[in-house]
Amino acid sequence: MIKIPKINFRNNECFACLGRTRYKDYATDTDNVIYKVKNDNFSVTINDIDCEVRECRVSAFPYNRPWPGKQRQYSQTESAGFISFSADESVTLRVKSKKAFKTASVKPSSKNIKVGIQEDEAVFTLSNQGNYVLELDDTHNVLHIFFNHIKDYPDKDKATYYYGPGMHFPGIINLRDNDMVYIDEEAIVFGSINSVGAKNVKIFGGGILDNSCEERVTENCYENFTKGTFRIYNSENIDVSDIIFTNSSTWVMSMFYCKNINIDNVKIVGHWRYNTDGIDIVNSDNVTVRNSFIRSFDDTISIKGIYEYDKPIENILIDNCVMWCGWGKNCEIGVETACPEYKNIVFKNCDLIHNSVAALTVSNGCNADIHDVLFENINVELQSCTPCEVVQTEDGKPYDQNAGTHTPFLALAYNFPYTIRKRNPDAIEVFEREDRGNIHDVVYRNINVICDDKDVKPVVKIRSCDDSVIFKNFVFENIFVNGKKASSFDEFETVFENSENITIK
């Protein structure tokens, strides 16, 4: 059985007007001051059944800047597509693209999906549900593929917010205790989910929550002026499953001072605006993210601490996710770490298909004591032709296409000071702490590194920038590089400073 959702449109079956945004101010190179729903670059069949392809804008290159008071230029983005369907059987996809191509591949590479090219079609079979990306020659104009289990939602008729097939424009959806939000798989909801203090909430359904209607208004991403697609404070027992989050105005999913949060099978795709981190877990505990796809234009998953909350961060699990980082770090602790302690942080069973600066990172920019961190059963794809990140310094200055390429860090741990904001009664204070936090007892186990350039050694950097703070007890166990187990650190480029008891076995 195969279920392929369709979109019921209210207008010309292509576009939705977004008149409330300032889109026209940064889309000066196009007349399409609208949200495009359908992607017409691809045509797809699944077991010979036509499948509608949806449009999503993504970053075209790693070009970022501190918040300039206006949004990123549309010319720095490009079109991509995604499909989301459910089946309880193997599926064969046939994909045609307007983009001419000579090679085709499906990521994650660890899944070993064989792609054939038959005339102008890429043809491949998926035997298991999961999240995939079809790349034609390169990473531009890709097709994201979300293959789901078939589900029924018996609780949907009990939902306090029910969004059936079609388009909906609710704006901010403010959660209250015991709310249920249902977004049908054939629905696009233009808005944002927001909570301050809600408990026992369920958000589900398989549809799209799109944040195109919102514009960012402040530099600070911690405060509740700009919501993004999902932002909650001081909330607990929140369950989010099967939702597709697109076009966020800032951090996509963020939670502050929360506990008991369960995120399962969400898709974060179509993000290109400044600081569109995938998931930010801020001074929260008992948070689980499973079975999800995250493509972000900033850190993919970031576990942060800020001064507003004097709360330790503990019991965080990231499990069975596929991640693509377009700027910054993929699996990151930090870089804001203004809290007493981090402990029991686990990333496992994940595929990091594209990285920017680094794949596995512990960035202690403030004062936390970070320990008992585990990276386990992770496939890391390191492309030597990864474009170097470039900071835009002025309006109108184009991205330098000759900025060069590099291979991202495999593992990075450091405590370089980070400028962070602290709210006082009369103002927001900006400062760096003089005391540096520590990092210790970190394990990297069963890491499979896939390097496209066999002559490149993966880089491992563990460095305390403070002579009085010594990092300790880092264990690298069963690390494989292109299928060969690493027996010593001679098989890596390493930087170890103010650190001790770093072992490989």
Side-chain angles (χ1 to χ4, degrees):
M1 180 179 178
I2 301 175
K3 291 180 64 178
I4 301 175
K6 296 184 180 297
I7 298 297
N8 297 314
F9 300 96
R10 290 184 176 178
N11 43 28
N12 66 353
E13 299 189 351
C14 291
F15 301 111
C17 178
L18 298 179
R20 289 186 293 170
T21 74
R22 295 178 58 85
Y23 188 105
K24 62 183 178 62
D25 292 342
Y26 50 85
T28 55
D29 53 341
T30 177
D31 293 329
N32 289 338
V33 189
I34 44 186
Y35 170 88
K36 186 177 180 182
V37 178
K38 285 187 176 181
N39 179 290
D40 56 8
N41 293 324
F42 296 98
S43 61
V44 177
T45 63
I46 303 172
N47 288 0
D48 297 321
I49 303 170
D50 288 338
C51 178
E52 185 175 73
V53 181
R54 305 175 187 183
E55 172 78 357
C56 60
R57 302 301 301 184
V58 296
S59 176
F61 34 72
Y63 199 35
N64 209 343
R65 69 191 298 189
W67 172 243
K70 54 190 172 183
Q71 198 45 264
R72 192 178 183 204
Q73 285 293 308
Y74 189 82
S75 59
Q76 297 176 14
T77 75
E78 67 185 20
S79 171
F82 72 93
I83 59 174
S84 181
F85 64 95
S86 305
D88 57 7
E89 60 188 83
S90 294
V91 294
T92 296
L93 282 75
R94 307 183 73 92
V95 180
K96 292 184 179 181
S97 172
K98 289 183 178 178
K99 171 186 174 182
F101 62 94
K102 295 181 179 179
T103 63
S105 62
V106 171
K107 292 185 178 297
S109 297
S110 66
K111 305 303 181 185
N112 296 313
I113 306 299
K114 305 301 181 184
V115 184
I117 299 176
Q118 299 177 7
E119 295 181 351
D120 59 345
E121 288 185 323
V123 182
F124 53 97
T125 297
L126 302 177
S127 300
N128 299 299
Q129 291 85 356
N131 301 307
Y132 306 90
V133 178
L134 173 65
E135 299 181 1
L136 304 176
D137 290 340
D138 53 35
T139 59
H140 297 288
N141 309 112
V142 304
L143 178 66
H144 307 83
I145 301 164
F146 307 139
F147 177 8
N148 306 294
H149 292 274
I150 292 177
K151 285 187 178 181
D152 292 321
Y153 298 101
D155 292 338
K156 67 181 182 181
D157 293 333
K158 301 176 184 178
T160 45
Y161 295 95
Y162 183 102
Y163 300 102
M167 292 185 177
H168 307 267
F169 298 84
I172 299 171
I173 303 169
N174 288 305
L175 300 177
R176 300 158 296 182
D177 289 357
N178 306 308
D179 270 347
M180 295 174 65
V181 181
Y182 172 74
I183 302 177
D184 189 87
E185 63 180 1
E186 295 189 346
I188 301 177
V189 175
F190 292 93
S192 175
I193 287 176
N194 189 244
S195 165
V196 180
K199 299 178 181 179
N200 307 319
V201 170
K202 184 177 181 180
I203 303 156
F204 63 108
I208 299 170
L209 180 64
D210 185 279
N211 194 225
S212 295
C213 294
E214 183 181 45
E215 289 299 332
R216 182 174 169 184
V217 295
T218 61
E219 179 178 5
N220 195 339
C221 294
Y222 314 141
E223 296 172 327
N224 205 21
F225 299 117
T226 305
K227 315 296 184 187
T229 52
F230 177 94
R231 174 162 295 211
I232 60 175
Y233 295 82
N234 194 28
S235 300
E236 60 183 275
N237 301 330
I238 310 296
D239 188 276
V240 186
S241 60
D242 308 329
I243 302 297
I244 302 170
F245 295 95
T246 57
N247 287 311
S248 188
S249 56
T250 183
W251 296 353
V252 182
M253 296 188 75
S254 57
M255 57 208 73
F256 299 77
Y257 202 74
C258 295
K259 64 181 179 181
N260 302 332
I261 310 298
N262 181 57
I263 299 170
D264 186 20
N265 193 37
V266 304
K267 327 292 186 184
I268 292 176
V269 69
H271 298 285
W272 56 274
R273 295 195 269 184
Y274 294 126
N275 300 115
T276 43
D277 291 17
I279 298 177
D280 288 280
I281 301 166
V282 186
N283 295 96
S284 297
D285 61 87
N286 297 303
V287 177
T288 299
V289 182
R290 283 193 172 97
N291 309 318
S292 296
F293 177 89
I294 306 159
R295 180 179 180 181
S296 59
F297 182 63
D298 211 326
D299 302 328
T300 306
I301 290 182
S302 189
I303 305 171
K304 302 178 183 290
I306 63 175
Y307 286 110
E308 275 75 3
Y309 310 106
D310 186 24
K311 178 180 178 179
I313 300 171
E314 59 184 330
N315 303 329
I316 310 297
L317 172 62
I318 314 300
D319 183 18
N320 193 35
C321 294
V322 177
M323 306 184 204
W324 178 336
C325 182
W327 175 279
K329 294 101 173 181
N330 229 322
C331 301
E332 182 180 35
I333 293 172
V335 63
E336 300 98 311
T337 54
C339 69
E341 183 182 30
Y342 285 67
K343 65 179 179 180
N344 298 330
I345 314 295
V346 177
F347 294 86
K348 70 177 186 178
N349 306 322
C350 294
D351 281 278
L352 312 187
I353 62 174
H354 289 288
N355 301 273
S356 188
V357 169
L360 311 174
T361 309
V362 185
S363 310
N364 197 346
C366 301
N367 61 298
D369 180 34
I370 300 175
H371 61 95
D372 292 296
V373 177
L374 173 63
F375 299 97
E376 184 176 43
N377 299 335
I378 297 178
N379 299 304
V380 181
E381 302 188 36
L382 296 178
Q383 290 88 15
S384 59
C385 58
T386 300
C388 293
E389 295 185 351
V390 177
V391 176
Q392 185 174 0
T393 56
E394 59 186 55
D395 292 347
K397 185 174 183 179
Y399 175 75
D400 183 1
Q401 299 288 348
N402 298 313
T405 60
H406 74 124
T407 302
F409 289 98
L410 169 61
L412 176 63
Y414 66 98
N415 59 354
F416 191 80
Y418 183 78
T419 300
I420 194 168
R421 297 163 179 81
K422 180 177 181 182
R423 177 175 289 279
N424 290 324
D426 300 322
I428 294 178
E429 181 182 359
V430 179
F431 69 103
E432 295 177 359
R433 290 185 66 105
E434 294 182 0
D435 54 327
R436 301 264 47 81
N438 204 342
I439 304 170
H440 58 96
D441 296 286
V442 180
V443 175
Y444 307 82
R445 179 183 298 132
N446 301 335
I447 309 299
N448 179 37
V449 186
I450 304 167
C451 296
D452 62 348
D453 186 340
K454 303 302 188 292
D455 295 326
V456 170
K457 292 183 177 182
V459 180
V460 175
K461 182 176 181 179
I462 300 171
R463 175 180 180 262
S464 172
C465 68
D466 188 332
D467 293 343
S468 67
V469 177
I470 305 301
F471 294 170
K472 298 180 181 179
N473 305 333
F474 287 71
V475 177
F476 291 78
E477 180 180 353
N478 290 332
I479 311 299
F480 288 82
V481 180
N482 292 329
K484 179 183 177 182
K485 184 177 178 179
S487 57
S488 73
F489 283 118
D490 291 341
E491 297 171 59
F492 302 86
E493 287 189 24
T494 59
V495 178
F496 299 152
E497 296 182 13
N498 293 324
S499 55
E500 61 185 43
N501 196 22
I502 302 174
T503 60
I504 186 168
K505 56 185 180 179

